[in-house]
Amino acid sequence: MSSTLNFTHDAARRSWVEAANDPAGDFPLQNLPTGIFCTATHSLPRPGVAIGDQVLDLAEAGSAGMLPTEVIEACRQPTLNALMALGPAAWSALRGRLSELLGADTCPDGPLRAMIADCLVPLREATLLLPARVGDYTDFYASIHHATNVGAMLRPDSPLLPNYQWVPVGYHGRASSLIVSGTPVRRPQGQSNPAGSPAPVFGPSQQLDYELELAAFVGPGNSLGTPIPLARAEENIFGVSLLNDWSARDLQSWEYQPLGPFLAKNFATTVSPWVVSLEALVPFRTAAYARPAGDPAPLPYLAADDNQARGGIDLTLEVLLLTPQMRARDVPAHLVSRGNFSAMYWTLAQLLTHHASNGCNLLPGDLLGSGTVSGPEKDARGCLLELTTRGREPLALPGGEARAFLQDGDEVIFRGYAARPGFVRVGLGECRGTILPAST
Amino acid sequence: MSSTLNFTHDAARRSWVEAANDPAGDFPLQNLPTGIFCTATHSLPRPGVAIGDQVLDLAEAGSAGMLPTEVIEACRQPTLNALMALGPAAWSALRGRLSELLGADTCPDGPLRAMIADCLVPLREATLLLPARVGDYTDFYASIHHATNVGAMLRPDSPLLPNYQWVPVGYHGRASSLIVSGTPVRRPQGQSNPAGSPAPVFGPSQQLDYELELAAFVGPGNSLGTPIPLARAEENIFGVSLLNDWSARDLQSWEYQPLGPFLAKNFATTVSPWVVSLEALVPFRTAAYARPAGDPAPLPYLAADDNQARGGIDLTLEVLLLTPQMRARDVPAHLVSRGNFSAMYWTLAQLLTHHASNGCNLLPGDLLGSGTVSGPEKDARGCLLELTTRGREPLALPGGEARAFLQDGDEVIFRGYAARPGFVRVGLGECRGTILPAST
């Protein structure tokens, strides 16, 4: 929580990139998310910043001498790992400079603005890639609503396990199968043990699901054996993206005892291409989840007044579904749920500090998934397992269709944004994936 | 199981590196394991091959024109990943050439032998590093004896879960905290919930344990969405090492529901530096575990006659313990258990094929841990949890000491070797780690 409001958050400021001033847009001057992109004519992956309908090429801007010295080398790399390693002072210096360069007030029409314009690439011409080479991907389980809803299907009498309110439960996911938004997802095959079947069977998953999550990219991190205290946790978070933790529920329920999810999830995990910095989210910080009376306080290593007061993020997260029939009939994607990240039981800082509390080393570019973001309301449930009560109450879609789980050709679209009176709306962009049939 | 016996396995052949002919040694001419090393005078990490008490510098040997063309570039890299990516034909060509170059019969005293001798570095002068940059580390649970022993402590009436004989159970581990043999291991802190405690506590683990495992490094691997059939599995295994899956049992039992082990294991995992190829192990291949009557047959994707007949490896694995008191009194390390990898319920090929069966992409250098290697006999149990029945029956050590779990200063040493009449003994070397006190 070290960042404070500054001129980069000023709602009165506009960009000379006209599309950035659209009040409904994701990428205004106040956002400035980073990503990795290439184009048909320049195929080398390089860092960029989204501004309106354009990408600013950070490699070119750096080579032209327009960026702070300390970030220039990092902005020449094919991933954001080097930039992530630099830490908050460098990130903030870059953000401040970009805000100046792209601001209509700070960069008047003239030669400098023309130089910057030369470094812009239309977003529609950019191929967006994974922001980082992820060494380790960890997935948490930080929504108590999700944990309770899922637990209730397995253990109606005691939905929540005894450790939940004490331990920010997490597990290691698969780094190799992280893919960027827009990459199709092949339906996995695997073992399941359907009710009434005389023996387990192997075949295409019949219960393919999505999970709506927020992803945090690790910054400088820590060396092996050295924990990260809660007060320093956010210095080690470069920013956030959307994440779809695709899940094959039939595989999961058969395989997960006693060592947790494995093939039910490691066939693909989709990440959105733009990483929104914590500094961009300063106006939208809010209290951590208010634990109801009777819940234990976090143990001291996970407790701080500052974390409780401002550890949350008021971030609206939406799931939309587009089926082949809807696509054929030009029906727009259907909103199936809308949740808010402030409903999470554990803050990002608590997740990171817990992760490193045993000395586990977190490295620049590592990815922390929040776990499914589900709120207390039924329409704030972040996966079909919860929304349809494991398929028993299928979701009604426009045109008379229904979905218990995902079908081939379905596209799942996540959107995320922060909005608050007096500030400019900041968007996370989209995280999309379409289901391909299982391989034969 | 594509490799067959050839001249590299011939027990009559000797090396002109005299120490390689010690019948009790780990690194005879018939072994030729690869690793990564550097020295005080040449600090660049580079591939090497262990031969007797020497390391052959593969980067130098390649530059001097002595290696097959197709491996020279890979042998200049600071990790073995590029060599692992080349596949069995290249691995076999390298092994064959090295066997010629280092054989007393095939490389007589003369200028070529002198050139090779110039590429040798004494092992005692070499700093051994991790063999590969591991993208993803997966840990399995392939010993039914281990699963049964551990399950019996948790569920005396039904030790083995219903999925065990069907699913090669595994989970993702932590890649960043993989360390090479000899690196000290700091005792982790973490949450546990001791019996009788009014609430969970945070502090140094009181139940620190080791787990004896075999590790397999992945070769070329597969692209996302494309499974690896069982018949092709071993083409994707570069070789094996020893692995210590350090485990904090008190943290584990409190955190592991419902998503599996996390901080109980990700503080450190030790790997031995030398990777023994499957080709070196051809003489020691044996039948897969004989499933007792009543056990189901593996599902078709995990079943093949060849795998059943020759999928096992007759590899003896030992655990030794050296306490500070023993060290002070010059007492040698004490053998606490001896098991055999042929007792594993699932073969390495089955583990790899299962892993990729949902399309999960395995990449060169990825690491698969077998899970604790425990046999049916009590003295073949591969961790203290099993050996001491969770500390209730402490292990007696020389000098009157006892151990329920590991204490600070204890060193755990794994050794592994294959031996069979008519063939030269092949060793895996050692996997060592000493416990440091928790950080304060």
Side-chain angles (χ1 to χ4, degrees), chain B residues 390-413:
Chain B
R390 194 165 196 136
R392 287 197 290 276
E393 306 160 37
L395 204 65
L397 296 175
E401 285 189 288
R403 283 293 182 275
F405 289 99
L406 296 173
Q407 296 191 6
D408 293 345
D410 286 353
E411 182 172 26
V412 178
I413 305 160

Side-chain angles (χ1 to χ4, degrees), chain A residues 109-135:
Chain A
D109 204 358
L112 180 59
R113 188 187 284 190
M115 276 177 66
I116 302 160
D118 274 349
C119 301
L120 292 177
V121 173
L123 247 176
R124 65 172 185 281
E125 292 176 16
T127 299
L128 303 174
L129 305 169
L130 272 185
R133 185 179 45 73
V134 177

Side-chain angles (χ1 to χ4, degrees), chain A residues 75-97:
Chain A
C75 287
R76 287 202 183 105
Q77 306 303 315
T79 66
L80 292 179
N81 293 66
L83 185 62
M84 291 168 171
L86 291 179
W91 306 336
S92 198
L94 175 60
R95 174 180 168 84
R97 182 69 58 88

Side-chain angles (χ1 to χ4, degrees), chain B residues 58-411:
Chain B
L58 290 182
E60 277 200 37
S63 296
M66 295 189 282
L67 300 184
T69 312
E70 68 263 42
V71 304
I72 290 177
E73 189 52 38
C75 287
R76 286 202 184 105
Q77 306 302 316
T79 66
L80 293 179
N81 294 67
L83 185 61
M84 291 168 171
L86 291 179
W91 306 336
S92 197
L94 175 60
R95 174 180 168 84
R97 182 69 58 88
L98 291 170
S99 184
E100 290 168 1
L101 294 173
L102 294 165
D105 52 348
T106 41
C107 186
D109 205 358
L112 179 59
R113 188 187 284 189
M115 276 176 66
I116 302 160
D118 274 349
C119 300
L120 292 176
V121 174
L123 248 176
R124 64 172 186 282
E125 292 175 16
T127 300
L128 302 175
L129 305 169
L130 272 186
R133 185 179 46 72
V134 177
D136 280 289
Y137 156 48
T138 302
D139 198 25
F140 286 93
Y141 195 56
S143 162
I144 196 168
H145 310 293
H146 173 69
T148 305
N149 291 337
V150 171
M153 294 180 220
L154 299 171
R155 301 170 302 273
D157 296 334
S158 59
L160 209 59
L161 290 166
N163 60 4
Y164 190 85
Q165 286 130 326
W166 299 93
V167 179
V169 171
Y171 67 103
H172 288 291
R174 182 85 190 169
S176 72
S177 53
L178 288 164
I179 52 180
V180 74
S181 174
T183 311
V185 172
R186 192 164 291 287
R187 179 182 298 273
Q189 306 212 52
Q191 281 194 40
S192 62
N193 195 20
S197 173
V201 296
F202 183 87
S205 169
Q206 301 301 309
Q207 299 186 340
L208 187 54
D209 199 357
Y210 59 81
E211 286 192 347
L212 169 68
E213 301 197 16
L214 196 70
F217 283 94
V218 171
N222 59 315
S223 55
L224 189 61
T226 307
I228 299 174
L230 190 61
R232 313 291 302 263
E234 289 202 356
E235 299 168 23
N236 289 288
I237 297 176
F238 176 76
V240 297
S241 297
L242 296 164
L243 183 143
N244 187 338
D245 179 26
W246 303 96
S247 299
R249 302 301 183 188
D250 41 354
L251 278 58
Q252 187 175 355
S253 52
W254 174 231
E255 77 170 358
Y256 90 106
Q257 289 281 19
L259 300 180
F262 182 47
L263 300 191
K265 288 175 178 275
N266 68 8
F267 57 94
T269 305
T270 305
V271 182
S272 63
W274 295 111
V275 189
V276 174
S277 67
L278 290 195
E279 190 171 358
L281 295 172
V282 165
F284 313 103
R285 299 307 296 264
T286 184
Y289 186 79
R291 294 187 169 212
D295 276 21
L299 288 175
Y301 78 106
L302 294 176
D305 290 347
D306 192 34
N307 177 71
Q308 187 58 44
R310 305 254 304 147
I313 312 177
D314 177 6
L315 203 50
T316 300
L317 302 173
E318 299 176 343
V319 179
L320 298 94
L321 195 56
L322 184 66
T323 70
Q325 178 185 304
M326 291 163 68
R327 203 178 295 118
R329 296 180 182 177
D330 272 334
V331 177
H334 177 72
L335 182 75
V336 296
S337 73
R338 177 184 287 133
N340 193 294
F341 193 68
S342 61
M344 302 302 269
Y345 197 78
W346 299 101
T347 65
L348 288 181
Q350 287 172 320
L351 300 182
L352 184 132
T353 288
H354 178 66
H355 200 327
S357 65
N358 67 343
C360 178
N361 51 335
L362 308 182
L363 301 180
D366 284 352
L367 194 65
L368 311 184
S370 63
T372 306
V373 180
S374 289
E377 312 83 10
K378 175 143 191 185
D379 63 0
R381 297 179 176 179
C383 62
L384 289 176
L385 178 70
E386 288 174 78
L387 276 172
T388 71
T389 315
R390 194 165 196 136
R392 287 197 290 276
E393 306 160 37
L395 204 65
L397 296 175
E401 285 189 288
R403 283 293 182 275
F405 289 99
L406 296 173
Q407 296 191 6
D408 293 345
D410 286 353
E411 182 172 26

Side-chain angles (χ1 to χ4, degrees), chain A residues 68-430:
Chain A
T69 312
E70 67 263 41
V71 305
I72 289 178
E73 189 52 38
C75 287
R76 287 202 183 105
Q77 306 303 315
T79 66
L80 292 179
N81 293 66
L83 185 62
M84 291 168 171
L86 291 179
W91 306 336
S92 198
L94 175 60
R95 174 180 168 84
R97 182 69 58 88
L98 292 170
S99 184
E100 290 168 1
L101 295 174
L102 294 165
D105 52 347
T106 41
C107 186
D109 204 358
L112 180 59
R113 188 187 284 190
M115 276 177 66
I116 302 160
D118 274 349
C119 301
L120 292 177
V121 173
L123 247 176
R124 65 172 185 281
E125 292 176 16
T127 299
L128 303 174
L129 305 169
L130 272 185
R133 185 179 45 73
V134 177
D136 279 290
Y137 156 47
T138 303
D139 198 26
F140 286 93
Y141 196 56
S143 162
I144 196 168
H145 310 293
H146 173 69
T148 305
N149 291 337
V150 171
M153 294 180 220
L154 299 171
R155 301 170 301 273
D157 296 335
S158 59
L160 209 60
L161 289 166
N163 60 4
Y164 191 85
Q165 286 130 326
W166 300 93
V167 179
V169 170
Y171 68 103
H172 288 292
R174 182 84 191 171
S176 72
S177 53
L178 288 164
I179 53 180
V180 74
S181 174
T183 311
V185 172
R186 191 164 291 287
R187 179 182 299 273
Q189 306 212 52
Q191 281 194 41
S192 62
N193 195 19
S197 173
V201 295
F202 183 87
S205 169
Q206 301 301 309
Q207 299 186 340
L208 187 54
D209 199 357
Y210 60 81
E211 287 192 346
L212 169 68
E213 302 197 14
L214 196 70
F217 283 94
V218 171
N222 60 315
S223 55
L224 189 62
T226 307
I228 299 174
L230 190 61
R232 313 292 301 263
E234 290 202 356
E235 299 168 23
N236 289 288
I237 297 177
F238 176 76
V240 297
S241 297
L242 296 164
L243 183 143
N244 187 338
D245 179 25
W246 303 96
S247 299
R249 301 301 183 188
D250 42 355
L251 278 58
Q252 187 175 356
S253 51
W254 174 230
E255 77 170 359
Y256 90 105
Q257 289 281 18
L259 300 180
F262 182 47
L263 300 191
K265 288 174 177 276
N266 68 7
F267 57 93
T269 305
T270 305
V271 182
S272 63
W274 295 111
V275 189
V276 174
S277 68
L278 290 195
E279 191 171 357
L281 295 172
V282 165
F284 312 103
R285 299 308 296 264
T286 184
Y289 186 80
R291 294 187 170 213
D295 276 21
L299 288 175
Y301 77 106
L302 295 176
D305 290 345
D306 192 34
N307 177 70
Q308 187 58 44
R310 305 253 305 146
I313 313 177
D314 177 6
L315 203 50
T316 300
L317 302 174
E318 299 176 344
V319 179
L320 298 94
L321 195 56
L322 184 66
T323 69
Q325 178 185 304
M326 291 164 69
R327 204 178 295 118
R329 296 181 182 177
D330 272 334
V331 176
H334 177 72
L335 182 75
V336 296
S337 73
R338 177 184 287 133
N340 193 294
F341 193 69
S342 62
M344 302 302 270
Y345 197 79
W346 299 100
T347 65
L348 288 181
Q350 286 172 319
L351 300 182
L352 184 131
T353 288
H354 178 66
H355 200 327
S357 65
N358 67 343
C360 178
N361 51 334
L362 308 182
L363 301 180
D366 284 352
L367 194 64
L368 311 184
S370 63
T372 306
V373 180
S374 290
E377 312 82 9
K378 176 143 191 185
D379 63 0
R381 297 179 176 179
C383 62
L384 289 176
L385 178 70
E386 289 174 77
L387 277 173
T388 71
T389 315
R390 195 167 195 133
R392 287 196 290 276
E393 305 160 36
L395 204 65
L397 296 175
E401 286 189 288
R403 284 292 182 275
F405 289 99
L406 297 173
Q407 296 191 6
D408 293 346
D410 286 354
E411 183 172 26
V412 178
I413 305 159
F414 295 168
R415 292 180 185 154
Y417 59 91
R420 179 183 155 200
F423 291 91
V424 174
R425 176 190 187 280
V426 159
L428 295 177
E430 289 187 336

